[in-house]
Amino acid sequence: MQPSDWPAVRDIYEQGIATRLATFDTAAPSWEEWNARHLTDVRLVAERDGAVVGWAALSPVSARACYAGVAEESVYVAESARGEGVGSTLLAEIVERADEAGFWTIQAQVFPENDASIALHRRCGFRVVGTRERIARLDGAWRDTVLLERRSDLAG
């Protein structure tokens, strides 16, 4: 992912926001905000015919040194490319790159209604840790998230 990919990445993120199944965010952040929240080493885009159709990135879970090898991942796929394996490709690649970068745990938080995302994560070696009940509000309603994680066989 390059800074020049941001307009397409933002558009795909906004598509995810609109579903109300992908994030608690209700509007996309600015490039500066997004860039500051995500690790610079592991960011990917998927392209089809020169157009960005998906993206994946890692975020730190904590600023504490003891959690330096734990990251949260995000994977988003454009509406036009859903169901075509883009998410699987991105998640598999980000897992591989996270292993190479020394991350021993990758976490994901997924709304329990997002069956496709939960299935994708399970296919890529994630396990369900539990449900975080009423963890935050979206549009005024309390929502749960399913916490998934993948432990590296290479790092940690």
Side-chain angles (χ1 to χ4, degrees), residues 1-129:
M1 181 186 299
Q2 301 298 320
S4 59
D5 294 319
W6 174 243
V9 167
R10 182 192 59 230
D11 290 348
I12 293 166
Y13 191 56
E14 288 173 340
Q15 292 172 15
I17 290 170
T19 69
R20 294 304 198 250
L21 290 176
T23 178
F24 282 102
D25 285 344
T26 56
S30 68
W31 163 251
E32 292 77 18
E33 292 170 309
W34 189 93
N35 187 48
R37 291 192 318 221
H38 293 83
L39 299 169
T40 57
D41 297 348
V42 188
R43 300 176 176 182
L44 307 169
V45 293
E47 294 184 348
R48 180 175 59 198
D49 300 324
V52 175
V53 294
W55 63 270
L58 295 181
S59 304
V61 298
S62 174
R64 295 174 62 193
C66 60
Y67 295 112
V70 183
E72 182 176 353
E73 58 80 14
S74 298
V75 174
Y76 285 80
V77 177
E79 290 172 349
S80 63
R82 291 183 189 151
E84 298 177 7
V86 173
S88 295
T89 300
L90 282 167
L91 187 53
E93 183 67 21
I94 209 159
V95 162
E96 183 176 324
R97 292 193 187 195
D99 279 350
E100 292 169 359
F103 289 94
W104 57 81
T105 302
I106 304 171
Q107 296 178 349
Q109 295 186 71
V110 179
F111 288 123
E113 302 85 4
N114 193 339
D115 296 327
S117 183
I118 292 171
L120 166 64
H121 283 85
R122 287 185 175 203
R123 285 193 308 271
C124 287
F126 285 71
R127 69 179 181 94
V128 173
V129 175

